[in-house]
Amino acid sequence: MTLVAILFFGLMVIGLPVGVVIGVAGMGGILQMGPRFMTMAPDRVFAGLDLFPFLAMPFFILAGEIMNRSGITMGLVRLADALVGWLRGGMAHSNMVASVLFAGITGSATADAAAFGNTLVPAMVKGGYSRPFACAVTAAGSIIGPTIPPSTLAIIYGSIMGVSIAGLFAAGILPGLLICIICMIVIALLARRMDLPKGQERPSFRIVLRALREGILAIILPVFILGSILGGFATPTEAAAIAVAYSLLVGGVVYRALSWRDLYEIGVRTTRITGVIFLIIASATILGWWMAFNQVPQAVAESLLSVSSNPDVIIGLILLLLLVIGLVMDINATLIILAPVLAPLTLKLGMDPVHAGIMIILALNISLMTPPVGACLFVLASVTGEKVEKISAALMPFILAEVCILILVAYWADLTLFIPRLLGL
């Protein structure tokens, strides 16, 4: 175990890609297990990737890229502005509502951060907001993407742990909406102290209706995705494939906003994002195999249970572990490595598998906006030119608020399971 730990942390400090770090550390562990296990490693890697639900990820990523590139998602921004833009701090509220609408298309925090970092952040700065605050609002709203369906993290978790993906999708709806609500409360509380700009007068019903008409084609997609999956008419993979066809039809034929060069760049970007995720999954399969061989999950469970027999204390320790590891590690890798370790422990505590899955996913989502390796922080820093330190400082009220939602989700199972039970999932 010492060799694996040295390889893992040593290569991470050097700065190698996380997929390479996990793979090399895992192979070091396999060598310790014995030469005959090396011949079995390729089969384990293939088995780790040979899961039908994983096909949904590249399709959802592709659909989101098409919608974003074709400008369809700007209709969502205009709709959000018509609904809440008239409030004090209206552009910040609009950013948050748009994140909810955008989340139902991409399921990706970094896609949200990149899209709104290029569009809404400059508009907010021009409207009188400080750039760090505008970036902070965007980062805080971006984690709604991988919480509300279609969440790529839910697909990964459900696939590797054998938990209903449809159930995880349904369970993510209320937590995602609560994140939006509490962030809007934070904005409202900061509005007067920071003297945030006040929007124009409340729009008429006709203006709201016009904005709804402009954004209806984008709104239909997440409604269709959720309806088909939760209704049992399509698997997540089938719904994702249909989402790609729909986005191509709307972006290319209705809006006529896609060129062949756009399609090429969309394909390249989708391939890169998918390749990185699949490399991490493949590498984590090897490391997970080594951990199972050495009974690491059982050791972690026993060590946590030795601290206290109180389930509430154990859940608190799990949340703390996820938040701390999320500070220094990619969330996809963390999920793939820790889910097989923590999920059996949550079952011992009597937690529903769907409830435990959403708790783990939400905890890791929060780490997307926490330094030093929060992906959304670096995306926003790169597209806006703002320093990560300033964005992080402006994010603190939002991080604290979202941790409160995480605690609520962790200890109130009925909140998370209300919609899945309502739908019979």
Side-chain angles (χ1 to χ4, degrees):
M1 294 184 70
T2 304
L3 174 62
V4 174
I6 291 173
L7 286 172
F8 185 88
F9 291 107
L11 295 176
M12 184 170 287
V13 169
I14 293 172
L16 289 180
V18 66
V20 176
V21 171
I22 295 171
V24 173
M27 291 305 294
I30 298 299
L31 282 172
Q32 286 185 317
M33 289 165 60
R36 65 190 181 92
F37 288 97
M38 288 295 294
T39 61
M40 300 167 60
D43 289 335
R44 300 293 300 185
V45 170
F46 181 79
L49 292 173
D50 188 25
L51 293 172
F52 180 70
F54 278 167
L55 287 175
M57 281 190 290
F59 281 125
F60 278 129
I61 293 169
L62 179 58
E65 290 291 327
I66 293 170
M67 296 286 277
N68 191 24
R69 181 62 68 94
S70 62
I72 298 172
T73 51
M74 288 309 298
L76 300 178
V77 176
R78 287 189 286 271
L79 174 59
D81 189 57
L83 293 173
V84 296
W86 52 274
L87 298 169
R88 180 171 292 279
M91 294 185 75
H93 288 296
S94 298
N95 191 327
M96 203 59 60
V97 173
S99 293
V100 174
L101 300 175
F102 194 70
I105 296 174
T106 65
S108 168
T110 52
D112 187 317
F116 293 165
N118 278 318
T119 54
L120 290 186
V121 170
M124 288 178 70
V125 172
K126 188 177 180 181
Y129 296 79
S130 70
R131 183 176 281 106
F133 180 77
C135 290
V137 171
T138 303
S142 68
I143 74 160
I144 298 173
T147 304
I148 285 181
S151 164
T152 53
L153 283 183
I155 294 171
I156 294 174
Y157 186 90
S159 299
I160 63 178
M161 297 310 303
V163 178
S164 167
I165 295 176
L168 290 169
F169 276 6
I173 295 173
L174 284 181
L177 294 177
L178 283 175
I179 291 173
C180 175
I181 291 170
I182 199 165
C183 286
M184 292 180 72
I185 292 173
V186 170
I187 293 169
L189 293 174
L190 293 174
R192 293 200 177 276
R193 185 166 67 84
M194 297 180 63
D195 193 26
L196 297 180
K198 192 177 186 303
Q200 299 176 354
E201 294 183 2
R202 183 180 299 193
S204 64
F205 178 75
R206 178 177 297 179
I207 293 176
V208 174
L209 193 62
R210 185 192 309 154
L212 179 62
R213 187 169 61 248
E214 291 177 358
I216 191 66
L217 290 177
I219 294 173
I220 286 175
L221 181 57
V223 171
F224 172 77
I225 292 172
L226 291 181
S228 61
I229 295 173
L230 301 181
F233 301 109
T235 66
T237 303
E238 293 166 344
I242 296 172
V244 172
Y246 177 84
S247 58
L248 281 172
L249 177 65
V250 174
V253 178
V254 178
Y255 281 76
R256 298 183 180 274
L258 294 173
S259 65
W260 289 109
R261 181 171 182 80
D262 289 330
L263 293 176
Y264 170 77
E265 292 177 354
I266 288 169
V268 169
R269 179 170 169 77
T270 301
T271 303
R272 286 176 176 169
I273 296 172
T274 304
V276 169
I277 294 175
F278 277 27
L279 173 62
I280 292 172
I281 293 173
S283 301
T285 300
I286 295 295
L287 186 58
W289 184 27
W290 172 83
M291 291 171 66
F293 182 84
N294 289 278
Q295 296 187 324
V296 174
Q298 292 88 330
V300 172
E302 289 175 5
S303 63
L304 288 177
L305 290 172
S306 66
V307 174
S308 173
S309 59
N310 188 329
D312 292 339
V313 174
I314 303 299
I315 291 173
L317 292 174
I318 291 173
L319 295 181
L320 182 62
L321 175 66
L322 290 168
L323 291 173
V324 170
I325 292 180
L327 292 174
V328 296
M329 194 170 171
D330 176 85
I331 65 168
N332 293 299
T334 305
L335 179 67
I336 296 162
I337 293 173
L338 288 186
V341 176
L342 298 178
L345 177 58
T346 60
L347 288 176
K348 286 186 178 181
L349 299 176
M351 295 183 71
D352 183 275
V354 171
H355 176 213
I358 287 299
M359 178 188 74
I360 293 171
I361 289 169
L362 182 54
L364 293 177
N365 285 344
I366 291 175
S367 67
L368 284 167
M369 59 177 188
T370 53
V373 296
C376 292
L377 289 179
F378 288 96
V379 168
L380 285 163
S382 64
V383 300
T384 66
E386 188 54 78
K387 292 182 178 180
V388 171
E389 310 88 78
K390 291 187 177 181
I391 301 175
S392 301
L395 258 171
M396 285 311 299
F398 296 100
I399 293 175
L400 293 174
E402 292 183 8
V403 169
C404 291
I405 296 298
L406 171 62
I407 294 171
L408 184 66
V409 167
Y411 289 103
W412 188 10
D414 290 340
L415 171 69
T416 303
L417 298 176
F418 173 73
I419 295 181
R421 288 169 178 168
L422 191 66
L423 298 173
L425 297 172

